[in-house]
Amino acid sequence: MKVLLLGAGGFIGVNLTERLLRDGVHDVVAVDIQEEKIDHLINAPDSKLTYLHLDISKDEAEVDKLVADADIVVDLVAVANPSLYVESPFEVYDLNYTQNMKVVEQCRKYKKRLIQFSTCEVYGITAAKAAEQFGLSSKENPCPFSEDETPLIMGPVKNHRWIYACAKQLLERVLDALWKTEGFQFSVIRPFNFVGPRIDYLPSESGGGNPRVFSHFMDALLYGNKPMQLVDGGEAFRAYTYIDDAVDCMVRIIEDKNNNCEGQIFNIGTPENELTIAELATKMCDMFDEHFRQEGDPPRPEIVSISGEEFYGKGYEDCDRRIADITKARTLLGWEPEHDLDSVIFNTMKYFVDEHRKKQATAGA
Ligand code: NAD
Ligand code: UGA
């Protein structure tokens, strides 16, 4: 098959591209507007990758041709960073819904199968948190979330954090409507906190910015410029999935060997790998001390609490807990995540530490 990957230069895209190239079964055409993370694949000797620097918002005619020429389209393009949901909510809506809809229309025109990346954030907050906000008590454990049964609960409009989830949810609803009315072929993927090599960037190396939590904590460990900051005490839970496990599931959806992915929404997550963000901070400090610490590294960082408003700005509201029900991926795809929590965190930390040591060696040479 000829697989067209839009947003291939991002964290998930690069890892998926690497795997598809390694398998060597499919032709891969990769599109992005940033080459930093995918450079090593574009410039590898004997690279079989076709890469094009194209913007899905502006280069419609070129993207249209690529869609016409592809067998399957995988759309990863989005703003996927919570600080931007609050800072630039309209841009989040525009890219994640309006511009992505252009790709949907192109796939519709050429009758191409589309794999659309959504998010676990469409589930919003848990029923327990919503009940608490109404002054009710909830004894039922609302997790795990199930694709076709769990209601999607989001906060008020003024809390702009939810614009990301709303845009993704609307896209999902449009795809499902098109499938129902005209048999449009799609699958949706809802990732649950993937981490691994090439996730985001370290603020100390990029002159600032506000990436996802793993990168902030690595920055504190490797550069010591800031403490580890726990937003609202770090009480929120996350369940982490290693990128290789996630990519393995994606490849199964792309290949659809059992011919049962059409019209399906898939959670991809590792339900057992749950912890609070406060626990994540301590675990990363302990692992760093045990496995990676070298002479000259900054001291173990301080761990402090900060309010959501101070950290992200007004309009931030957190997802309190999210665990994937992965029964569907297990039964339809025969997929099972293999990495436990310690190996997910260790492997991702190792990537950051190795890259850092390489930079230190180059700077010292
Ligand atoms: P990412 O930010 O690393 O990748 C997105 C890529 O899209 C970037 O390389 C960016 O340059 C590219 N892009 C942005 N605008 C573009 C445009 N106009 N034209 C072409 N390319 C453009 O994000 P990621 O973590 O790799 O996430 C990929 C997808 O998965 C996103 O849709 C995201 O919402 C979704 N997702 C990811 C996670 C996760 O755990 N990483 C969780 C939930 C959802
Ligand atoms: C993110 C993004 O929304 C999407 O990329 C994606 O949908 C989702 O991850 C995902 O990976 O599934 P989130 O998990 O909230 O959502 O993003 P992080 O920045 O990784 O934050 C996780 C938790 O850590 C939140 O509770 C946040 O408030 C907290 N946090 C973040 C800190 O305590 N300290 C920090 O320095 C950064």
Side-chain angles (χ1 to χ4, degrees):
M1 284 196 297
K2 187 177 272 189
V3 182
L4 174 60
L5 296 182
L6 305 173
F11 161 55
I12 297 177
V14 170
N15 282 282
L16 178 57
T17 305
E18 265 175 13
R19 162 71 190 265
L20 291 172
L21 292 176
R22 204 166 50 240
D23 288 355
V25 177
H26 309 292
D27 294 331
V28 184
V29 179
V31 166
D32 208 292
I33 49 172
Q34 288 182 50
E35 285 74 38
E36 203 182 323
K37 293 184 185 180
I38 201 168
D39 240 4
H40 66 297
L41 300 178
I42 302 171
N43 296 316
D46 305 325
S47 174
K48 296 219 161 53
L49 179 66
T50 305
Y51 176 80
L52 294 121
H53 180 102
L54 292 174
D55 184 327
I56 66 156
S57 321
K58 296 181 187 144
D59 302 313
E60 259 180 87
E62 288 89 338
V63 175
D64 189 89
K65 279 190 207 132
L66 295 176
V67 172
D69 195 38
D71 295 304
I72 183 166
V73 179
V74 181
D75 184 5
L76 297 129
V77 173
V79 176
N81 176 327
S83 66
L84 299 173
Y85 312 163
V86 176
E87 202 179 300
S88 317
F90 182 78
E91 282 169 36
V92 172
Y93 156 78
D94 183 54
L95 183 64
N96 295 9
Y97 181 74
T98 312
Q99 305 308 326
N100 273 276
M101 265 310 290
K102 290 181 182 166
V103 176
V104 174
E105 288 301 346
Q106 287 157 343
C107 290
R108 204 173 161 207
K109 178 161 81 173
Y110 296 112
K111 299 201 181 324
K112 299 298 160 110
R113 190 171 156 232
L114 173 66
I115 314 280
Q116 179 65 53
F117 273 73
S118 181
T119 173
C120 58
E121 291 210 8
V122 296
Y123 293 106
I125 54 174
T126 59
K129 188 173 171 196
E132 196 185 297
Q133 287 176 353
F134 280 110
L136 306 171
S137 71
S138 167
K139 295 198 181 74
E140 298 294 315
N141 183 342
C143 275
F145 295 138
S146 157
E147 295 96 331
D148 302 322
E149 283 158 35
T150 306
L152 314 174
I153 313 172
M154 267 152 237
V157 168
K158 299 280 181 211
N159 291 351
H160 288 291
R161 195 248 164 78
W162 302 112
I163 200 158
Y164 169 75
C166 284
K168 293 274 193 183
Q169 188 193 133
L170 184 56
L171 199 55
E172 288 193 14
R173 290 188 188 274
V174 169
L175 292 174
D176 201 66
L178 290 173
W179 182 62
K180 183 185 160 109
T181 52
E182 56 187 64
F184 180 78
Q185 290 181 51
F186 82 96
S187 304
V188 158
I189 291 176
R190 291 181 181 164
F192 281 68
N193 287 87
F194 302 165
V195 290
R198 299 194 165 78
I199 184 163
D200 297 339
Y201 55 87
L202 299 183
S204 297
E205 290 176 0
S206 60
N210 195 351
R212 284 167 280 193
V213 69
F214 208 96
S215 307
H216 271 299
F217 287 178
M218 282 315 301
D219 204 54
L221 287 165
L222 294 172
Y223 286 93
N225 292 331
K226 271 195 188 154
M228 285 183 171
Q229 294 176 297
L230 301 180
V231 172
D232 297 325
E235 287 175 6
F237 289 86
R238 293 293 185 268
Y240 286 97
T241 294
Y242 195 56
I243 188 69
D244 290 0
D245 283 335
V247 162
D248 186 58
C249 191
M250 290 169 212
V251 171
R252 287 168 196 249
I253 295 169
I254 290 170
E255 294 185 339
D256 194 10
K257 287 188 174 151
N258 300 327
N259 206 18
N260 55 10
C261 294
E262 206 180 303
Q264 293 291 354
I265 297 173
F266 288 97
N267 286 339
I268 303 184
T270 310
E272 298 76 21
N273 286 357
E274 191 188 34
L275 79 178
T276 65
I277 299 302
E279 288 165 347
L280 176 69
T282 306
K283 196 180 250 303
M284 286 175 70
C285 287
D286 291 345
M287 275 195 180
F288 190 80
D289 286 347
E290 189 180 344
H291 301 286
F292 302 113
R293 180 167 291 288
Q294 280 185 7
E295 214 182 305
D297 283 336
R300 188 175 166 117
E302 204 190 338
I303 301 177
V304 300
S305 187
I306 182 168
S307 74
E309 188 165 329
E310 206 183 327
F311 190 81
Y312 289 107
K314 209 169 165 47
Y316 180 72
E317 184 182 351
D318 209 346
C319 306
D320 52 322
R321 192 172 185 207
R322 47 204 206 197
I323 304 174
D325 178 337
I326 54 168
T327 311
K328 202 193 270 188
R330 281 185 171 129
T331 51
L332 296 189
L333 307 168
W335 175 75
E336 193 65 47
E338 287 177 359
H339 291 80
D340 65 10
L341 186 60
D342 279 3
S343 70
V344 172
I345 296 174
F346 177 85
N347 290 350
T348 310
M349 288 183 74
K350 185 170 183 328
Y351 166 78
F352 277 105
V353 173
D354 288 349
E355 290 298 304
H356 183 65
R357 302 286 182 232
K358 272 189 240 164
K359 285 196 183 92
Q360 283 178 318
T362 314

